[in-house]
Amino acid sequence: MKQYNLNQVRKEFLDFFKEKDHYIADSYSLVPKNDKSLLLINAGMAPLKAYFLGTAQPPKKRMATCQKCIRTGDIDNVGKTDRHGTFFEMLGNFSFGDYFKKEIIKWAWEFMTQRIEIPEELLWVTVFHEDDEAFDIWKNEVGISPDRIVRLGKEDNFWEHGLGPCGPCSEIYIDRGEKYSCGDPNCKPGCDCDRFVEVWNLVFSQFDKDEDGNYNPLPNPNIDTGMGLERMVCVLNDASNIFEIEPISSIIKNVENISGKKYGENKAEDVSIRVIIDHLRAMTFLVSDGVIPSNEGRGYVLRRLIRRAARHGKLLGIEGEFLYKLSEIIIDNWGEYYPNLVDKKVQIKKVIQVEEQKFQETIDQGMNILKEFLQDMSKKGDKVLEGVKAFKLYDTYGFPLDLTKEILDEKGYTVDEEGFNNEMEEQRQRARNARANGDFEGWNRNSQAKISNDVLTEFIGYENKEATSKVILLIKDNVEVDSLKEGEDGIIILDQTVFYPEGGGQVSDRGILFNDNFKCELKDVKKIDGNKILHFVSIESGIINVGQKVHAEINEKKRMNTARNHTATHLLHRALKDVLGEHVNQAGSLVDEEKLRFDFTHFQGVAKEELSKIEDIVNERILDCLDISITTGNMDEARKMGAVALFDEKYGDKVRIVKMGNYSIELCGGTHLSNTSQVQIFKIVSEGGIASGVRRIEAITGEAAFKNIKNTYKAMDEVANKLKTIPSNVLDKLKNSLEENKSLSKKIESLKAKMAVSKVDDIIKDVITMNDLSLVVKQIDGLEVNDMRNLCDEIKNKITGDVLIVLGTVKNDKVNFVASATKPLTKKGIHAGNIIREVAKATGGGGGGRPDMATAGGKDPSKVKEALDLVENLVRNSVK
């Protein structure tokens, strides 16, 4: 067979189906959009579910993709077997009610035999045992021998997943030859041996399974095919696993270079090399799609992959961070087809490096703790690590449970996962209870299917602030109704609307709908399934019926203030890149009439000087009076212009390009101004971290910024009045006052220390002599810890021989203890740290320190005397 690499097969497949009049879509993000059932995209058809279900319109009835996918169900087996991996690419072609079995079967045969030139005698197919139609097409239309068409049962050749669309499938197999055979002369597809490998699955979605288990024929059956790119290339190159094909095999050489290990010489080391390579691809693609390491959800998947690969690097003897450097190889080899990798190169490397650094800081300490646990288990003969200890490793040292399990498994131990889960239950409960806010989400989940696909709303709000529209649908309590009357809440769908629906981080417009017979106020506006725009309303007066005309007016002041903040968000995004670096990307936003909130990827706090510079740049662009132009085009045109695609935005064939002078170009569906000068003024009010590698800036513009400045000046006037000066002299006056207060405080502390020292003679009158040592125990309130230490030194200077001093104090309801012993006493069994710890416990506190000097804190001032009374017995029990 002709040999290919990954890039060649991918290109051949997509080019082939482009010639068959298919729309070739770019790979969708690994992060599912509008699909809460999936954590990550795990199949080629997963991002297209809405098209198959009919709840959204595809760009064309024929599509083909190469979809990046991640599956983590078998992550523990990655590296140990030839077939398990986390990241893979899935080639697929799809028909949404267009062509069906005859076309795809003939095309599949054409692609396999003519396009990639696989000898016909090596190809076998399977069909569902009841699918005579598919059997006849293979036999009569394609001309394949019936001996090489295998009928298999429902388990092998029928695709269904719960209720809904399902159907039989036909799989194409390649015969790899006798050397992979089980030896059975009747060996054929369906056998468990490695001779026949399935490379392409053609799914014929022709039924709709209902709740009673009936398979009802679909009026417009679909085609859904899947071909694992890596598996296909393995077979074409007669490779036993994906690590032997290009460009994956080239990564092995890089791992060999940095580790000094040779692939193929040691089984355990081979496992580590495979884990690194597999996880490296997955982590690089995850970060490129905006995933950040965290302790839950897809962020936890990323953290687990990075830390697992980093640990296997340590097993190979690799010191320090190395994964972020190797990620460049992934970017170089896959970047041509996935340009997002190149665009996010700096961010990808930084995110991986920061996570590696965090893990390097904790892994050695965590491994030592785990080693202690293992030694303790070995002594006791236990084989199961307690859940509370596994949780400690997770919570304190950043060890994912899976990593602990993997390490223990290598030693022949297991983990009490139930105990671990109990420790995590409170956190998991919070996650389970997380709900999307508002009544809309509940309605959307339960009732959106009730809205016909023909119900569409045209948005005309970019150019218009008011319009007359027709009511085409009314909903009350999740049920379609003919009318809504005064006092009722419901949903209105119009044929056209001026109200911007919530999206892209921008809140929806507010305003009113009215005619001669009714009036209502908008509570919210949301968009679902492409162009269905829902107006959530409360009817203030009258009654509204389906089919009636209504006049719509937006709240122009709210729209203008929101547009100010949204426009400023674009300027801020560009300014952040200018000051902090191109790795900065949007990670979320909220824009309303009062403020803007902008989340962005960055890996350390933003310095005050940097924030000031960012703020200055935005205000300079406002004063530059840059014209704002908004055009539409396709993604290729936008990319050539240098447009930035914003986080979590869903783009179609046509995109909206917002250009602010020559400074900022972004894709955005929000409402904006016509000139940056209309923002008026921009003021940052806060900056801080919200997650690992993600920062947040909150800012205000226009009227809100003016109010902020006015209030600041008002506060400055009040401060100036208090300091009896003018606002321009406040800093100098305040500086002088602080220095004066500092000087006075030092004098007060000095006087207090002198007063305490003057009491030394009175203190040592109460000295206790026992076992050749002098013991001084005293409560002296109002002292700082340093004062007590100095007092201990003065007492030791006054008393000859060995002395132990224990002092307690209460100041501002805060309890502190100090213990000090001469060096010789420590050899006789006196340990100041142990003594002070027990004393502090009596007041509900704790502490400790060296044998000759220690401090501790307490909680209950009323028990200080009772605590100090313990000292004499503690000393008697300690002296050897």
Side-chain angles (χ1 to χ4, degrees):
M1 286 187 293
K2 185 177 179 180
Q3 295 193 339
Y4 292 85
N5 63 31
L6 291 175
N7 295 330
Q8 291 168 333
V9 172
R10 185 194 301 115
K11 185 178 186 304
E12 291 290 349
F13 183 91
L14 296 176
D15 286 351
F16 177 83
F17 280 99
K18 186 175 184 180
E19 294 166 10
K20 302 300 182 186
D21 198 28
H22 284 60
Y23 173 80
I24 308 302
D26 291 337
S27 174
Y28 293 82
S29 170
L30 284 167
V31 179
K33 298 291 187 287
N34 305 316
D35 187 352
K36 295 181 180 180
S37 68
L38 287 177
L39 186 67
L40 292 164
I41 294 298
N42 59 8
M45 63 78 63
L48 311 177
K49 278 199 289 188
Y51 301 153
F52 282 108
L53 293 171
T55 58
Q57 292 293 326
K60 194 171 185 177
K61 286 190 174 183
R62 299 181 178 189
M63 287 182 65
T65 64
C66 180
Q67 176 62 44
K68 49 193 174 184
C69 303
I70 283 186
R71 293 178 184 170
T72 58
D74 293 316
I75 191 172
D76 294 330
N77 289 318
V78 171
K80 298 176 182 178
T81 71
D82 288 341
R83 61 188 183 88
H84 287 104
T86 53
F87 178 86
F88 62 97
E89 297 175 76
M90 181 67 79
L91 296 166
N93 63 286
F94 312 94
S95 167
F96 309 108
D98 186 26
Y99 60 82
F100 199 45
K101 292 182 186 179
K102 182 176 180 179
E103 291 85 353
I104 183 52
I105 288 175
K106 294 176 73 173
W107 288 339
W109 187 256
E110 179 185 348
F111 177 79
M112 298 291 274
T113 60
Q114 297 180 33
R115 199 58 172 251
I116 54 177
E117 302 176 23
I118 299 175
E120 293 185 13
E121 62 270 17
L122 299 182
L123 294 175
W124 289 63
V125 296
T126 63
V127 296
F128 181 49
H129 67 97
E130 296 178 0
D131 192 356
D132 294 332
E133 181 185 6
F135 185 95
D136 290 340
I137 294 171
W138 281 115
K139 175 177 174 289
N140 300 323
E141 300 286 340
V142 172
I144 189 171
S145 169
D147 295 337
R148 287 190 282 123
I149 307 173
V150 181
R151 293 180 184 263
L152 295 177
K154 194 171 185 180
E155 183 177 331
D156 295 296
N157 277 76
F158 195 95
W159 186 91
E160 63 181 335
H161 188 71
L163 304 179
C166 59
C169 60
S170 180
E171 297 178 325
I172 301 176
Y173 285 75
I174 295 179
D175 182 357
R176 304 182 74 191
E178 289 287 346
K179 64 179 179 178
Y180 295 100
S181 175
C182 59
D184 185 340
N186 295 316
C187 180
K188 58 186 176 182
C191 180
D192 292 332
C193 75
D194 294 329
R195 175 171 178 172
F196 295 94
V197 177
E198 177 261 311
V199 291
W200 200 352
N201 187 13
L202 317 178
V203 179
F204 313 129
S205 297
Q206 63 189 86
F207 300 115
D208 182 9
K209 184 179 180 182
D210 62 27
E211 294 180 352
D212 296 324
N214 299 313
Y215 293 91
N216 305 301
L218 285 170
N220 297 302
N222 305 311
I223 290 294
D224 162 23
T225 85
M227 175 194 291
L229 177 59
E230 292 85 353
R231 180 184 292 188
M232 172 61 87
V233 176
C234 280
V235 176
L236 292 175
N237 290 275
D238 197 25
S240 61
N241 58 71
I242 66 169
F243 304 100
E244 297 177 4
I245 61 174
E246 286 292 347
I248 299 174
S249 58
S250 63
I251 310 172
I252 292 177
K253 298 180 180 63
N254 290 273
V255 178
E256 289 177 334
N257 290 338
I258 62 174
S259 67
K261 308 297 183 183
K262 189 71 175 174
Y263 185 72
E265 293 183 352
N266 180 286
K267 186 175 181 180
E269 291 172 354
D270 286 353
V271 169
S272 293
I273 292 173
R274 289 181 174 191
V275 167
I276 291 168
I277 292 171
D278 172 84
H279 290 8
L280 188 65
R281 287 208 300 162
M283 70 180 73
T284 302
F285 276 90
L286 280 169
V287 177
S288 76
D289 282 337
V291 180
I292 298 293
S294 69
N295 283 335
E296 59 186 24
R298 57 187 66 97
Y300 176 75
V301 172
L302 175 58
R303 171 162 285 169
R304 182 182 174 191
L305 290 168
I306 295 175
R307 294 191 169 193
R308 193 168 187 262
R311 175 179 171 265
H312 278 277
K314 290 184 75 70
L315 293 177
L316 292 175
I318 302 173
E319 295 297 330
E321 299 86 43
F322 68 98
L323 293 170
Y324 79 98
K325 297 175 184 176
L326 291 179
S327 68
E328 281 201 43
I329 304 168
I330 307 299
I331 296 168
D332 291 343
N333 282 286
W334 277 265
E336 182 177 354
Y337 182 71
Y338 300 101
N340 193 40
L341 292 172
V342 179
D343 296 341
K344 301 293 181 64
K345 179 176 180 177
V346 175
Q347 179 185 350
I348 291 167
K349 294 181 65 177
K350 192 66 177 178
V351 169
I352 295 173
Q353 183 183 19
V354 168
E355 185 62 23
E356 279 192 278
Q357 288 172 341
K358 289 180 179 178
F359 192 48
Q360 293 294 341
E361 291 168 3
T362 61
I363 188 170
D364 290 334
Q365 192 175 9
M367 287 295 292
N368 288 334
I369 298 296
L370 183 54
K371 186 177 180 181
E372 291 178 9
F373 290 162
L374 288 169
Q375 290 173 345
D376 186 53
M377 291 168 66
S378 179
K379 290 177 183 177
K380 295 178 179 178
D382 294 337
K383 287 292 184 180
V384 181
L385 179 68
E386 296 174 31
V388 67
K389 291 181 177 179
F391 183 76
K392 180 180 179 182
L393 284 167
Y394 165 82
D395 193 46
T396 307
Y397 302 105
F399 262 50
L401 176 63
D402 304 280
L403 181 56
T404 301
K405 286 167 59 180
E406 182 176 333
I407 295 170
L408 289 172
D409 182 61
E410 292 169 0
K411 307 289 184 182
Y413 296 96
T414 59
V415 181
D416 174 15
E417 292 190 55
E418 183 177 352
F420 177 90
N421 291 334
N422 289 338
E423 296 291 327
M424 286 283 290
E425 186 57 32
E426 185 176 340
Q427 180 179 340
R428 293 191 174 197
Q429 190 64 42
R430 285 196 300 270
R432 282 195 295 269
N433 290 339
R435 294 287 186 270
N437 64 346
D439 295 335
F440 166 75
E441 288 297 335
W443 179 88
N444 183 27
R445 271 196 308 276
N446 298 327
S447 306
Q448 65 171 323
K450 296 178 181 178
I451 300 180
S452 168
N453 286 334
D454 297 331
V455 175
L456 302 174
T457 304
E458 180 186 4
F459 176 66
I460 59 172
Y462 291 132
E463 304 84 11
N464 303 282
K465 304 296 187 296
E466 59 180 293
T468 298
S469 305
K470 180 181 178 182
V471 177
I472 56 177
L473 195 68
L474 296 172
I475 295 173
K476 178 189 174 186
D477 297 330
N478 295 341
V479 176
E480 190 174 329
V481 295
D482 294 326
S483 63
L484 291 172
K485 59 180 182 293
E486 184 176 334
E488 293 182 339
D489 292 341
I491 296 169
I492 297 177
I493 300 181
L494 306 170
D495 63 342
Q496 61 178 14
T497 185
V498 294
F499 299 109
Y500 179 82
E502 178 184 316
Q506 179 177 323
V507 299
S508 66
D509 280 327
R510 293 294 187 271
I512 58 173
L513 291 169
F514 64 93
N515 61 24
D516 293 338
N517 300 315
F518 106 110
K519 179 181 179 182
C520 72
E521 182 178 347
L522 262 68
K523 296 164 61 179
D524 205 354
V525 186
K526 292 185 182 288
K527 183 177 181 180
I528 64 168
D529 294 345
N531 290 321
K532 295 180 178 66
I533 298 179
L534 282 56
H535 303 78
F536 291 77
V537 301
S538 291
I539 309 300
E540 295 181 9
S541 62
I543 184 171
I544 181 66
N545 297 308
V546 172
Q548 289 185 334
K549 295 281 188 177
V550 296
H551 194 70
E553 289 183 4
I554 68 168
N555 182 323
E556 290 196 48
K557 182 178 180 180
K558 182 180 186 300
R559 162 74 77 89
M560 188 67 177
N561 285 336
T562 302
R564 285 192 177 100
N565 287 326
H566 204 152
T567 297
T569 298
H570 287 224
L571 297 175
L572 171 62
H573 193 185
R574 184 63 255 174
L576 284 164
K577 288 177 177 287
D578 290 344
V579 175
L580 304 180
E582 287 295 330
H583 67 277
V584 168
N585 283 291
Q586 183 172 341
S589 71
L590 174 66
V591 178
D592 59 27
E593 63 176 324
E594 297 177 350
K595 65 184 180 303
L596 66 91
R597 188 182 75 202
F598 190 80
D599 300 340
F600 58 98
T601 53
H602 189 54
F603 308 97
Q604 59 190 31
V606 183
K608 288 184 178 179
E609 296 78 12
E610 292 173 323
L611 275 179
S612 178
K613 189 173 181 180
I614 291 163
E615 188 177 85
D616 288 346
I617 290 174
V618 174
N619 282 305
E620 287 169 7
R621 299 296 83 79
I622 292 170
L623 293 173
D624 285 342
C625 302
L626 303 176
D627 284 331
I628 300 172
S629 65
I630 300 175
T631 58
T632 58
N634 59 44
M635 281 298 292
D636 288 339
E637 292 169 340
R639 193 175 284 120
K640 289 175 183 176
M641 291 175 64
V644 176
L646 296 187
F647 174 83
D648 213 25
E649 193 78 41
K650 187 176 182 180
Y651 302 110
D653 288 340
K654 292 294 182 180
V655 293
R656 194 163 177 265
I657 306 166
V658 180
K659 187 172 183 286
M660 300 182 185
N662 292 320
Y663 185 65
S664 168
I665 308 175
E666 295 190 355
L667 306 186
C668 183
T671 60
H672 291 281
L673 308 168
S674 59
N675 189 284
T676 59
S677 63
Q678 293 172 289
V679 178
Q680 297 178 335
I681 193 167
F682 172 83
K683 178 65 181 172
I684 294 174
V685 295
S686 69
E687 188 279 334
I690 59 168
S692 177
V694 181
R695 311 291 298 178
R696 171 173 291 173
I697 281 179
E698 292 191 350
I700 50 179
T701 63
E703 184 181 353
F706 282 122
K707 286 181 179 178
N708 179 275
I709 293 169
K710 185 176 180 179
N711 291 336
T712 300
Y713 273 101
K714 182 180 179 181
M716 182 66 76
D717 284 338
E718 292 178 1
V719 171
N721 288 334
K722 295 288 184 182
L723 293 173
K724 297 180 179 180
T725 186
I726 58 177
S728 59
N729 290 338
V730 163
L731 286 179
D732 289 337
K733 185 73 173 179
L734 184 59
K735 183 179 178 181
N736 292 335
S737 296
L738 290 174
E739 289 178 351
E740 184 179 349
N741 285 342
K742 187 176 180 180
S743 176
L744 291 172
S745 295
K746 285 183 177 179
K747 289 180 180 179
I748 291 170
E749 294 301 320
S750 176
L751 287 172
K752 283 164 56 180
K754 289 179 180 178
M755 290 172 63
V757 170
S758 69
K759 296 179 181 180
V760 169
D761 290 337
D762 291 334
I763 293 171
I764 62 177
K765 287 179 183 177
D766 298 326
V767 67
I768 302 169
T769 303
M770 54 187 296
N771 298 336
D772 297 326
L773 67 83
S774 298
L775 176 62
V776 176
V777 183
K778 201 74 173 179
Q779 178 177 349
I780 308 174
D781 293 333
L783 297 183
E784 300 287 348
V785 172
N786 282 337
D787 297 334
M788 296 166 70
R789 288 197 186 100
N790 292 335
L791 188 53
C792 286
D793 291 339
E794 292 294 332
I795 293 172
K796 283 192 280 189
N797 290 335
K798 287 279 188 175
I799 299 176
T800 57
D802 294 330
V803 59
L804 170 65
I805 306 155
V806 181
L807 304 179
T809 187
V810 178
K811 183 178 181 182
N812 299 327
D813 289 328
K814 187 177 179 180
V815 178
N816 280 301
F817 297 99
V818 170
S820 179
T822 51
K823 293 285 186 183
L825 275 182
T826 62
K827 296 179 181 179
K828 297 180 180 180
I830 296 296
H831 193 293
N834 294 340
I835 290 173
I836 207 72
R837 185 183 300 111
E838 295 302 318
V839 171
K841 279 183 183 178
T843 66
R850 305 192 312 267
D852 61 324
M853 172 59 73
T855 61
K859 294 181 180 179
D860 189 345
S862 68
K863 293 187 177 180
V864 172
K865 183 180 182 304
E866 178 183 331
L868 292 173
D869 288 343
L870 300 174
V871 174
E872 190 170 341
N873 280 335
L874 290 170
V875 173
R876 292 186 191 279
N877 294 332
S878 300
V879 176
K880 296 177 182 178

